[in-house]
Amino acid sequence: MRLLIVEDDALAAQAMITGLSEHGHQCLTAGDGEAGLKAAGDGRFDVLIVDRMMPRMDGIRMVETLRRDGDHTPVLFLSALGEIGDRVDGLNAGGDDYLVKPYALAELLARVEALARRREMGAVQTVLKVGDLEMDLIAREVRRAGVDIDLQPREFKLLEFLMRHGGQSVTRTMLLEKVWDYHFDPQTNVIDVHISRLRSKIDKGFDKPMLQTVRGAGYRLEA
Amino acid sequence: MRLPRLFRTTPFRLTLLFVALFAAAASAFLAYIYVATAGEVISRADARVSRELRSLEAVHNAGGQMALNQAVIERSSVDHPLLYLLMKPDGGMISGSIGASPIREFNGEKTWASFSLTSAQPGGGVERQPARGVEERLPDGTLLFVGADLSESEFYVSKILRALWGAGALMVVLGLGGGLLISRDVSRTIASLTHVIDRARSGDLNARAAVRGAGDEYDELAAGLNDMLDRLERSVGSLRHAGDAIAHDLRSPLTRLRARLEAAMIEADAGRTDAKAALHTALEDADGVLRTFNAVLAIARLEAAGDAPSQSVFDPSELAADVAELYEPLCEDKGLEFQLQAARDLRLNGNREFVAQALANILDNAVKYTPAGGAIMVRVRRRSSGDVEISVTDTGPGIAPEDRARVLDRFVRLENSRNEPGAGLGLSLVSAVARAHRGALEIDEGPGAVDGGGPGLRVALVFPTGGQA
């Protein structure tokens, strides 16, 4: 993937490049909003990683300008500001996701890949498919290898998210944010229990377990 | 040139203005008194003179010039208060108490005039006395003058005038003096307030203005200033407290992290440990520090903010159902019976995310400490007072009454919680959330011992709704 990192802290940018390149992504950096805007206009990127507070032009203004110019490249905001209001500001400016500093590399990676995936999917889908697992979003039915699986509404939502990001790692924080819409850190890993329930429903009785735990990151739905 | 400070004060200027206004009013008053008094003196004299003139005319009409002359001589000879002069038609004196007519321009009929009488004094000086009189030509051509000496009356008028002037001067002096005194008093009071403000401005928030107890507007001002300083001191204090708390709270986990890294380095150097495993542990420690930091920061922000930010109206039962749904599987896994009792149609104004987090923290504790076979109940209801209550009741060991206040402090972990993960920040955040919504956090006993369990615990978040539905 081609990623543009717009970040004024060179050390932080370097750490991101190291981590993201390790996973096969190509990274370019820009030191402030103006440079970022220029770089974004020059090359096609899959995802832009934009710091909020930068000299000359801050991230919010940069993304606003970008969106006004009709550029819809997914944007992941990075910020030390983690209040709900700040998050809303970032999303209103045209950001697609918001990650509060400091963050774990696994979290950044998972979110960047999720954003890129969302773009690939493009048009609205009514049926999701991962391996022999099938989800009908309109009839709200799930089937694996032709066998109906009965899911609670929240389990359905959880599986939908995992299926939309099939083959990708998703973190617990992402699940809590996107499936439950909570932005705090529950002390016990409540998510794990929900995952294990879902796992018992979709993997039980099948040879190949699909819902896998990714050490140090979260979970992945494998085809 | 600058005036002395005292003269530049507002009270002094006001005093000056009032003295000037008062002096103007007093002058007008004095002028009126003078005019009225002096006019009265003259009109009385005129009346006396006219009466006398009429009676002399009567004498003349009855007895002719001879009788008149007789009357004038008689009246002039005794010490009579009036002045007389009878003249021939050409102005020559016939008889009278003055030598010549003081009327210079006689217009032929009846002429009034004010003039002064001069008389030589024994000491050699000349005394001038004000007088007023009238001259008339009688039918036979004789001229008759009757006048009145005004010196006696004029004396009183001038006395009154002098007294009035004196009073005016005294008033101005007293006004200025009083103004100075008042100004000094006011300046002193204001200066003491200014001094307090100066001290506060230079960072000394302990400075307080003296309240004199007079209950006047200066006391009100001083009390207001003190109240403002109290609030300022409190909020600065709580900010400083938050800063100190964060510094303190992070020092120990960071120290632990550092020690562990150092130990790992020594171990790895000696070849006893795999460096990668040590790094992995260190990373986990760092994540723990970050979690602690985020929790402490959230609490500190809530405490410093006063009221919770980003408030909206939401249904607390819906929120409780959401959070309960998050924790229910956990309860089931642990063999706990879970129940949600939520009243309908409740409305709460607050920060949804914070309230959800607070409830999650309470539930998290309940799940952690309630032994298998126990039960947890989440209840949302409206109290008879109208307040909305979100409570979590469990059948766990509970918290001893003497520890209930203490568990709200940061990093306090009770003996039986040592084996459970956590930093001792959960209830601190809940308490901060309650305060940020002007609500209360209640901790008391649960339903009593169940199956050999403890007395249980009931933790309730109570939100005032101000009587609204």
Side-chain angles (χ1 to χ4, degrees), chain B residues 165-191:
Chain B
W165 274 119
L170 192 67
M171 190 190 71
V172 169
V173 168
L174 280 179
L176 284 178
L180 280 176
L181 282 178
I182 293 171
S183 308
R184 228 176 44 179
D185 184 47
V186 172
S187 303
R188 213 174 278 161
T189 316
I190 296 291

PDB file of all heavy atoms in Angstrom, chain B residues 165-191:
ATOM      1  N   TRP B 165     -22.903  85.716  54.509  1.00  0.00           N
ATOM      2  CA  TRP B 165     -21.596  85.494  53.873  1.00  0.00           C
ATOM      3  C   TRP B 165     -20.740  84.554  54.711  1.00  0.00           C
ATOM      4  O   TRP B 165     -20.098  83.641  54.212  1.00  0.00           O
ATOM      5  CB  TRP B 165     -20.848  86.819  53.675  1.00  0.00           C
ATOM      6  CG  TRP B 165     -21.219  87.508  52.392  1.00  0.00           C
ATOM      7  CD1 TRP B 165     -21.785  88.733  52.278  1.00  0.00           C
ATOM      8  CD2 TRP B 165     -21.044  87.000  51.082  1.00  0.00           C
ATOM      9  NE1 TRP B 165     -21.999  89.039  50.962  1.00  0.00           N
ATOM     10  CE2 TRP B 165     -21.543  87.976  50.202  1.00  0.00           C
ATOM     11  CE3 TRP B 165     -20.535  85.813  50.564  1.00  0.00           C
ATOM     12  CZ2 TRP B 165     -21.532  87.820  48.820  1.00  0.00           C
ATOM     13  CZ3 TRP B 165     -20.516  85.663  49.190  1.00  0.00           C
ATOM     14  CH2 TRP B 165     -21.022  86.646  48.323  1.00  0.00           C
ATOM     15  N   GLY B 166     -20.775  84.810  56.002  1.00  0.00           N
ATOM     16  CA  GLY B 166     -19.991  83.966  56.916  1.00  0.00           C
ATOM     17  C   GLY B 166     -20.438  82.519  56.830  1.00  0.00           C
ATOM     18  O   GLY B 166     -19.619  81.599  56.721  1.00  0.00           O
ATOM     19  N   ALA B 167     -21.777  82.363  56.835  1.00  0.00           N
ATOM     20  CA  ALA B 167     -22.309  80.997  56.775  1.00  0.00           C
ATOM     21  C   ALA B 167     -21.874  80.329  55.479  1.00  0.00           C
ATOM     22  O   ALA B 167     -21.484  79.158  55.457  1.00  0.00           O
ATOM     23  CB  ALA B 167     -23.827  81.023  56.870  1.00  0.00           C
ATOM     24  N   GLY B 168     -21.924  81.111  54.370  1.00  0.00           N
ATOM     25  CA  GLY B 168     -21.524  80.573  53.070  1.00  0.00           C
ATOM     26  C   GLY B 168     -20.080  80.112  53.095  1.00  0.00           C
ATOM     27  O   GLY B 168     -19.751  79.006  52.646  1.00  0.00           O
ATOM     28  N   ALA B 169     -19.224  80.979  53.652  1.00  0.00           N
ATOM     29  CA  ALA B 169     -17.809  80.640  53.685  1.00  0.00           C
ATOM     30  C   ALA B 169     -17.598  79.391  54.535  1.00  0.00           C
ATOM     31  O   ALA B 169     -16.862  78.467  54.147  1.00  0.00           O
ATOM     32  CB  ALA B 169     -17.007  81.801  54.258  1.00  0.00           C
ATOM     33  N   LEU B 170     -18.300  79.350  55.668  1.00  0.00           N
ATOM     34  CA  LEU B 170     -18.157  78.210  56.575  1.00  0.00           C
ATOM     35  C   LEU B 170     -18.585  76.919  55.868  1.00  0.00           C
ATOM     36  O   LEU B 170     -17.948  75.875  55.971  1.00  0.00           O
ATOM     37  CB  LEU B 170     -19.046  78.443  57.806  1.00  0.00           C
ATOM     38  CG  LEU B 170     -18.782  77.499  58.964  1.00  0.00           C
ATOM     39  CD1 LEU B 170     -17.402  77.751  59.553  1.00  0.00           C
ATOM     40  CD2 LEU B 170     -19.852  77.656  60.032  1.00  0.00           C
ATOM     41  N   MET B 171     -19.675  77.068  55.075  1.00  0.00           N
ATOM     42  CA  MET B 171     -20.196  75.909  54.382  1.00  0.00           C
ATOM     43  C   MET B 171     -19.167  75.377  53.381  1.00  0.00           C
ATOM     44  O   MET B 171     -18.922  74.170  53.290  1.00  0.00           O
ATOM     45  CB  MET B 171     -21.460  76.336  53.653  1.00  0.00           C
ATOM     46  CG  MET B 171     -22.252  75.219  53.090  1.00  0.00           C
ATOM     47  SD  MET B 171     -23.495  75.943  52.041  1.00  0.00           S
ATOM     48  CE  MET B 171     -22.487  76.515  50.693  1.00  0.00           C
ATOM     49  N   VAL B 172     -18.539  76.308  52.652  1.00  0.00           N
ATOM     50  CA  VAL B 172     -17.551  75.877  51.663  1.00  0.00           C
ATOM     51  C   VAL B 172     -16.382  75.191  52.368  1.00  0.00           C
ATOM     52  O   VAL B 172     -15.929  74.116  51.961  1.00  0.00           O
ATOM     53  CB  VAL B 172     -17.065  77.082  50.826  1.00  0.00           C
ATOM     54  CG1 VAL B 172     -15.859  76.687  49.985  1.00  0.00           C
ATOM     55  CG2 VAL B 172     -18.193  77.572  49.936  1.00  0.00           C
ATOM     56  N   VAL B 173     -15.955  75.801  53.465  1.00  0.00           N
ATOM     57  CA  VAL B 173     -14.810  75.225  54.181  1.00  0.00           C
ATOM     58  C   VAL B 173     -15.156  73.832  54.720  1.00  0.00           C
ATOM     59  O   VAL B 173     -14.407  72.867  54.534  1.00  0.00           O
ATOM     60  CB  VAL B 173     -14.369  76.159  55.334  1.00  0.00           C
ATOM     61  CG1 VAL B 173     -13.384  75.438  56.248  1.00  0.00           C
ATOM     62  CG2 VAL B 173     -13.745  77.425  54.775  1.00  0.00           C
ATOM     63  N   LEU B 174     -16.347  73.762  55.352  1.00  0.00           N
ATOM     64  CA  LEU B 174     -16.755  72.465  55.903  1.00  0.00           C
ATOM     65  C   LEU B 174     -16.919  71.427  54.795  1.00  0.00           C
ATOM     66  O   LEU B 174     -16.519  70.276  54.936  1.00  0.00           O
ATOM     67  CB  LEU B 174     -18.074  72.597  56.663  1.00  0.00           C
ATOM     68  CG  LEU B 174     -17.964  73.159  58.077  1.00  0.00           C
ATOM     69  CD1 LEU B 174     -19.350  73.264  58.705  1.00  0.00           C
ATOM     70  CD2 LEU B 174     -17.057  72.291  58.928  1.00  0.00           C
ATOM     71  N   GLY B 175     -17.511  71.878  53.674  1.00  0.00           N
ATOM     72  CA  GLY B 175     -17.730  70.969  52.545  1.00  0.00           C
ATOM     73  C   GLY B 175     -16.413  70.411  52.037  1.00  0.00           C
ATOM     74  O   GLY B 175     -16.262  69.202  51.849  1.00  0.00           O
ATOM     75  N   LEU B 176     -15.441  71.323  51.841  1.00  0.00           N
ATOM     76  CA  LEU B 176     -14.143  70.877  51.335  1.00  0.00           C
ATOM     77  C   LEU B 176     -13.464  69.950  52.334  1.00  0.00           C
ATOM     78  O   LEU B 176     -12.922  68.903  51.969  1.00  0.00           O
ATOM     79  CB  LEU B 176     -13.249  72.079  51.043  1.00  0.00           C
ATOM     80  CG  LEU B 176     -13.592  72.839  49.765  1.00  0.00           C
ATOM     81  CD1 LEU B 176     -12.676  74.043  49.606  1.00  0.00           C
ATOM     82  CD2 LEU B 176     -13.448  71.927  48.560  1.00  0.00           C
ATOM     83  N   GLY B 177     -13.530  70.372  53.605  1.00  0.00           N
ATOM     84  CA  GLY B 177     -12.886  69.567  54.653  1.00  0.00           C
ATOM     85  C   GLY B 177     -13.512  68.183  54.731  1.00  0.00           C
ATOM     86  O   GLY B 177     -12.819  67.164  54.729  1.00  0.00           O
ATOM     87  N   GLY B 178     -14.858  68.184  54.752  1.00  0.00           N
ATOM     88  CA  GLY B 178     -15.570  66.903  54.814  1.00  0.00           C
ATOM     89  C   GLY B 178     -15.232  66.055  53.605  1.00  0.00           C
ATOM     90  O   GLY B 178     -14.999  64.852  53.715  1.00  0.00           O
ATOM     91  N   GLY B 179     -15.182  66.724  52.451  1.00  0.00           N
ATOM     92  CA  GLY B 179     -14.858  66.012  51.219  1.00  0.00           C
ATOM     93  C   GLY B 179     -13.499  65.351  51.324  1.00  0.00           C
ATOM     94  O   GLY B 179     -13.323  64.190  50.928  1.00  0.00           O
ATOM     95  N   LEU B 180     -12.545  66.113  51.859  1.00  0.00           N
ATOM     96  CA  LEU B 180     -11.200  65.559  52.015  1.00  0.00           C
ATOM     97  C   LEU B 180     -11.225  64.331  52.917  1.00  0.00           C
ATOM     98  O   LEU B 180     -10.616  63.306  52.603  1.00  0.00           O
ATOM     99  CB  LEU B 180     -10.255  66.605  52.616  1.00  0.00           C
ATOM    100  CG  LEU B 180      -9.717  67.629  51.623  1.00  0.00           C
ATOM    101  CD1 LEU B 180      -8.870  68.671  52.334  1.00  0.00           C
ATOM    102  CD2 LEU B 180      -8.900  66.931  50.559  1.00  0.00           C
ATOM    103  N   LEU B 181     -11.968  64.460  54.035  1.00  0.00           N
ATOM    104  CA  LEU B 181     -12.024  63.337  54.977  1.00  0.00           C
ATOM    105  C   LEU B 181     -12.656  62.107  54.329  1.00  0.00           C
ATOM    106  O   LEU B 181     -12.114  61.007  54.411  1.00  0.00           O
ATOM    107  CB  LEU B 181     -12.830  63.728  56.220  1.00  0.00           C
ATOM    108  CG  LEU B 181     -12.068  64.590  57.226  1.00  0.00           C
ATOM    109  CD1 LEU B 181     -12.976  64.970  58.386  1.00  0.00           C
ATOM    110  CD2 LEU B 181     -10.829  63.846  57.738  1.00  0.00           C
ATOM    111  N   ILE B 182     -13.808  62.358  53.660  1.00  0.00           N
ATOM    112  CA  ILE B 182     -14.493  61.240  53.003  1.00  0.00           C
ATOM    113  C   ILE B 182     -13.585  60.617  51.948  1.00  0.00           C
ATOM    114  O   ILE B 182     -13.434  59.406  51.861  1.00  0.00           O
ATOM    115  CB  ILE B 182     -15.816  61.722  52.357  1.00  0.00           C
ATOM    116  CG1 ILE B 182     -16.794  62.138  53.444  1.00  0.00           C
ATOM    117  CG2 ILE B 182     -16.420  60.628  51.484  1.00  0.00           C
ATOM    118  CD1 ILE B 182     -18.021  62.825  52.925  1.00  0.00           C
ATOM    119  N   SER B 183     -12.928  61.503  51.160  1.00  0.00           N
ATOM    120  CA  SER B 183     -12.051  61.001  50.109  1.00  0.00           C
ATOM    121  C   SER B 183     -10.967  60.127  50.703  1.00  0.00           C
ATOM    122  O   SER B 183     -10.630  59.080  50.165  1.00  0.00           O
ATOM    123  CB  SER B 183     -11.366  62.146  49.378  1.00  0.00           C
ATOM    124  OG  SER B 183     -12.316  63.061  48.968  1.00  0.00           O
ATOM    125  N   ARG B 184     -10.415  60.609  51.826  1.00  0.00           N
ATOM    126  CA  ARG B 184      -9.319  59.858  52.420  1.00  0.00           C
ATOM    127  C   ARG B 184      -9.805  58.490  52.883  1.00  0.00           C
ATOM    128  O   ARG B 184      -9.141  57.483  52.663  1.00  0.00           O
ATOM    129  CB  ARG B 184      -8.712  60.632  53.586  1.00  0.00           C
ATOM    130  CG  ARG B 184      -7.207  60.657  53.461  1.00  0.00           C
ATOM    131  CD  ARG B 184      -6.555  61.461  54.507  1.00  0.00           C
ATOM    132  NE  ARG B 184      -7.124  61.202  55.824  1.00  0.00           N
ATOM    133  CZ  ARG B 184      -6.682  61.808  56.930  1.00  0.00           C
ATOM    134  NH1 ARG B 184      -5.707  62.668  56.847  1.00  0.00           N
ATOM    135  NH2 ARG B 184      -7.220  61.555  58.085  1.00  0.00           N
ATOM    136  N   ASP B 185     -10.996  58.490  53.455  1.00  0.00           N
ATOM    137  CA  ASP B 185     -11.558  57.232  53.941  1.00  0.00           C
ATOM    138  C   ASP B 185     -11.807  56.264  52.786  1.00  0.00           C
ATOM    139  O   ASP B 185     -11.386  55.112  52.799  1.00  0.00           O
ATOM    140  CB  ASP B 185     -12.873  57.536  54.678  1.00  0.00           C
ATOM    141  CG  ASP B 185     -13.468  56.285  55.287  1.00  0.00           C
ATOM    142  OD1 ASP B 185     -12.700  55.548  55.927  1.00  0.00           O
ATOM    143  OD2 ASP B 185     -14.673  56.060  55.107  1.00  0.00           O
ATOM    144  N   VAL B 186     -12.471  56.808  51.746  1.00  0.00           N
ATOM    145  CA  VAL B 186     -12.776  55.975  50.584  1.00  0.00           C
ATOM    146  C   VAL B 186     -11.488  55.504  49.919  1.00  0.00           C
ATOM    147  O   VAL B 186     -11.333  54.332  49.573  1.00  0.00           O
ATOM    148  CB  VAL B 186     -13.654  56.754  49.585  1.00  0.00           C
ATOM    149  CG1 VAL B 186     -13.798  55.976  48.296  1.00  0.00           C
ATOM    150  CG2 VAL B 186     -15.013  57.027  50.194  1.00  0.00           C
ATOM    151  N   SER B 187     -10.537  56.463  49.771  1.00  0.00           N
ATOM    152  CA  SER B 187      -9.283  56.099  49.123  1.00  0.00           C
ATOM    153  C   SER B 187      -8.601  54.984  49.879  1.00  0.00           C
ATOM    154  O   SER B 187      -8.049  54.056  49.287  1.00  0.00           O
ATOM    155  CB  SER B 187      -8.319  57.277  49.094  1.00  0.00           C
ATOM    156  OG  SER B 187      -8.912  58.337  48.456  1.00  0.00           O
ATOM    157  N   ARG B 188      -8.657  55.090  51.212  1.00  0.00           N
ATOM    158  CA  ARG B 188      -7.986  54.077  52.016  1.00  0.00           C
ATOM    159  C   ARG B 188      -8.633  52.706  51.790  1.00  0.00           C
ATOM    160  O   ARG B 188      -7.957  51.721  51.588  1.00  0.00           O
ATOM    161  CB  ARG B 188      -8.083  54.477  53.494  1.00  0.00           C
ATOM    162  CG  ARG B 188      -6.866  54.031  54.271  1.00  0.00           C
ATOM    163  CD  ARG B 188      -6.923  54.553  55.678  1.00  0.00           C
ATOM    164  NE  ARG B 188      -6.460  55.927  55.791  1.00  0.00           N
ATOM    165  CZ  ARG B 188      -6.748  56.728  56.828  1.00  0.00           C
ATOM    166  NH1 ARG B 188      -7.519  56.294  57.802  1.00  0.00           N
ATOM    167  NH2 ARG B 188      -6.262  57.939  56.877  1.00  0.00           N
ATOM    168  N   THR B 189      -9.983  52.689  51.774  1.00  0.00           N
ATOM    169  CA  THR B 189     -10.691  51.417  51.563  1.00  0.00           C
ATOM    170  C   THR B 189     -10.360  50.846  50.191  1.00  0.00           C
ATOM    171  O   THR B 189     -10.020  49.674  50.040  1.00  0.00           O
ATOM    172  CB  THR B 189     -12.214  51.632  51.654  1.00  0.00           C
ATOM    173  OG1 THR B 189     -12.460  52.457  52.773  1.00  0.00           O
ATOM    174  CG2 THR B 189     -12.929  50.320  51.816  1.00  0.00           C
ATOM    175  N   ILE B 190     -10.462  51.738  49.172  1.00  0.00           N
ATOM    176  CA  ILE B 190     -10.193  51.283  47.809  1.00  0.00           C
ATOM    177  C   ILE B 190      -8.747  50.823  47.690  1.00  0.00           C
ATOM    178  O   ILE B 190      -8.444  49.821  47.053  1.00  0.00           O
ATOM    179  CB  ILE B 190     -10.485  52.425  46.802  1.00  0.00           C
ATOM    180  CG1 ILE B 190     -11.959  52.789  46.833  1.00  0.00           C
ATOM    181  CG2 ILE B 190     -10.061  52.022  45.396  1.00  0.00           C
ATOM    182  CD1 ILE B 190     -12.891  51.749  46.275  1.00  0.00           C
ATOM    183  N   ALA B 191      -7.837  51.580  48.341  1.00  0.00           N
ATOM    184  CA  ALA B 191      -6.421  51.223  48.262  1.00  0.00           C
ATOM    185  C   ALA B 191      -6.192  49.838  48.840  1.00  0.00           C
ATOM    186  O   ALA B 191      -5.403  49.059  48.300  1.00  0.00           O
ATOM    187  CB  ALA B 191      -5.574  52.254  48.998  1.00  0.00           C
TER     188      ALA B 191
END
